[in-house]
Amino acid sequence: MQSLLEGLVVSHLGKGIAVEVNQQIYLCQTRRKLETVAVGDKVQISEVNGEQGRIEKLLPRRSILLRPARNGKTRPVAANLDNVFVVFAVEPACDFLLIDQYLALTENLNINAQLVLNKIDLDNSDEIEQQLAYYQSLGYPLHKVSVKKSLGIETLKQALTGHVSIFTGQSGVGKSSLTNFLMPEKSLKINSVSATTKHGRHTTTAATLYHLPDGGDLIDSPGVAIFGLADTTEQQLAWGYREFQPLIENCRFHNCRHVNDKGCAVIEAVENKTIPNSRYQRFLKLRSKLPAATAYSF
Ligand SMILES: Nc1nc2c(ncn2[C@@H]2O[C@H](COP(=O)(O)OP(=O)(O)O)[C@@H](O)[C@H]2O)c(=O)[nH]1
Ligand SMILES: [Mg+2]
Ligand SMILES: [Zn+2]
């Protein structure tokens, strides 16, 4: 029997999946009945011919990021991530609700989250500074950068080195600018694969894994901006607010919703200003968006 090769899924290209084995790219189809593979997955492939293969086996994942797909299902977008870098900017105005949403998700997925404030060449508001200081006090690393003026990029590079990471954040904050800055030659390898095979073109690429020049990988995925709370329960959302974690067991009722419940330790912390009211209000807002919370609210 032919021996299997171990590889890394680096891109979805139209109907084929690019798998890297010892610096060589194989364009692969998946064996039928195999579950959907994502960029970042480790797989075993069999060689079909020199540059084509078949994915035979999906190796265990240490994390998986999903995004909503059609008919209420989810689709894996990135596997084996270590870090999600939540990018936001001085302009367009910082969306702290979105930041909380990403942080709540990564908290539940056991993926580290780090914050990146871009465009510090523009004027900062005091409000941004205050909110950011609070996130830092929760233990989220903050990188203040300007891609345009090349400020703060070195420490960001160090945080990326040796890990698998992804940038997320609303459109216009500078994710593409950052990616291009970190990897000026990023599209070379994938483009050459597209050029030499009949399968999918570069424009159909859903997600791609790039190797960083100093080591480590960056997954670039257009779909990742929309990873949402569709699969999140109320309990997970509360857990996703990191500072709630030690408080939850002190709530009087084990099924406390932290909304207007008697003896709620979270509400108490908001009242004595340990937790900023703005942050708590965002929890309530995200909570009201959960499908489960609307079904059970009374
Ligand atoms: N002033 C300023 N503008 C920036 C900076 N980084 C990116 N931009 C601009 O912000 C806009 C959106 O950038 P882009 O990388 O496309 O954002 P994306 O939608 O998150 O990928 C572009 O016009 C960039 O030139 C920065 O550090 N300072
Ligand atoms: Mg972009
Ligand atoms: Zn409570």
Side-chain angles (χ1 to χ4, degrees):
M1 202 188 114
Q2 189 192 2
S3 66
L4 298 176
L5 305 168
E6 192 168 318
L8 176 68
V9 175
V10 293
S11 190
H12 279 270
L13 297 158
K15 290 222 170 89
I17 294 167
V19 177
E20 185 189 69
V21 180
N22 298 329
Q23 305 187 5
Q24 190 196 331
I25 302 282
Y26 287 85
L27 193 75
C28 296
Q29 306 299 318
T30 49
R31 187 170 59 75
R32 284 207 295 155
K33 292 190 178 162
L34 196 72
E35 70 177 286
T36 314
V37 301
V39 169
D41 264 325
K42 298 236 167 67
V43 293
Q44 288 180 338
I45 68 165
S46 56
E47 196 176 296
V48 174
N49 67 39
E51 55 184 26
Q52 303 204 345
R54 187 172 61 226
I55 300 177
E56 305 286 354
K57 193 175 176 204
L58 175 63
L59 298 178
R61 294 163 167 160
R62 63 175 183 277
S63 70
I64 183 73
L65 190 65
L66 304 166
R67 71 170 166 79
R70 270 167 297 173
N71 49 37
K73 294 194 175 136
T74 54
R75 223 187 134 72
V77 259
N80 297 318
L81 278 176
D82 301 306
N83 290 315
V84 169
F85 286 84
V86 180
V87 186
F88 48 100
V90 175
E91 255 180 46
C94 247
D95 183 347
F96 290 104
L97 191 68
L98 192 63
I99 293 178
D100 282 9
Q101 180 177 318
Y102 289 136
L103 296 183
L105 273 164
T106 51
E107 200 71 33
N108 279 284
L109 295 172
N110 273 321
I111 302 173
N112 292 318
Q114 308 203 21
L115 302 174
V116 181
L117 172 67
N118 186 28
K119 310 196 191 183
I120 57 166
D121 53 290
L122 305 174
D123 267 346
N124 237 345
S125 80
D126 289 347
E127 200 223 329
I128 296 185
E129 289 297 330
Q130 270 178 26
Q131 304 260 25
L132 292 182
Y134 180 69
Y135 288 108
Q136 282 180 290
S137 78
L138 296 177
Y140 293 109
L142 170 67
H143 306 272
K144 298 183 182 180
V145 305
S146 164
V147 183
K148 193 173 169 185
K149 297 268 167 75
S150 257
L151 300 169
I153 306 282
E154 278 311 310
T155 52
L156 178 60
K157 267 188 184 167
Q158 282 168 20
L160 289 158
T161 302
H163 305 290
V164 184
S165 307
I166 197 163
F167 290 137
T168 188
Q170 69 187 110
S171 145
V173 295
K175 299 181 297 298
S176 299
S177 309
L178 258 174
T179 307
N180 293 336
F181 189 92
L182 293 164
M183 292 173 300
E185 300 174 47
K186 69 167 187 147
S187 51
L188 282 181
K189 203 170 220 175
I190 297 305
N191 280 342
S192 68
V193 174
S194 316
T196 55
T197 61
K198 293 188 284 290
H199 300 273
R201 303 211 319 269
H202 189 59
T203 47
T204 56
T205 298
T208 303
L209 180 144
Y210 299 104
H211 300 304
L212 292 160
D214 297 339
D217 301 312
L218 187 61
I219 295 179
D220 191 22
S221 166
V224 83
I226 54 164
F227 70 92
L229 292 171
D231 266 3
T232 309
T233 65
E234 319 175 23
Q235 287 81 5
Q236 286 171 330
L237 181 66
W239 184 258
Y241 276 71
R242 185 177 271 186
E243 68 274 46
F244 293 11
Q245 291 172 10
L247 300 173
I248 288 171
E249 60 184 1
N250 298 333
C251 293
R252 185 178 306 163
F253 301 105
H254 73 92
N255 58 351
C256 184
R257 300 165 308 150
H258 327 296
V259 177
N260 50 15
D261 313 60
K262 283 207 178 68
C264 173
V266 172
I267 295 175
E268 192 184 312
V270 176
E271 281 168 356
N272 66 33
K273 301 199 164 53
T274 318
I275 297 175
N277 187 44
S278 54
R279 172 109 161 135
Y280 177 65
Q281 292 304 321
R282 293 194 295 272
F283 163 72
L284 292 181
K285 193 154 186 184
L286 288 180
R287 191 180 177 284
S288 71
K289 290 183 173 183
L290 299 179
T294 30
Y296 296 114
S297 63
F298 39 80

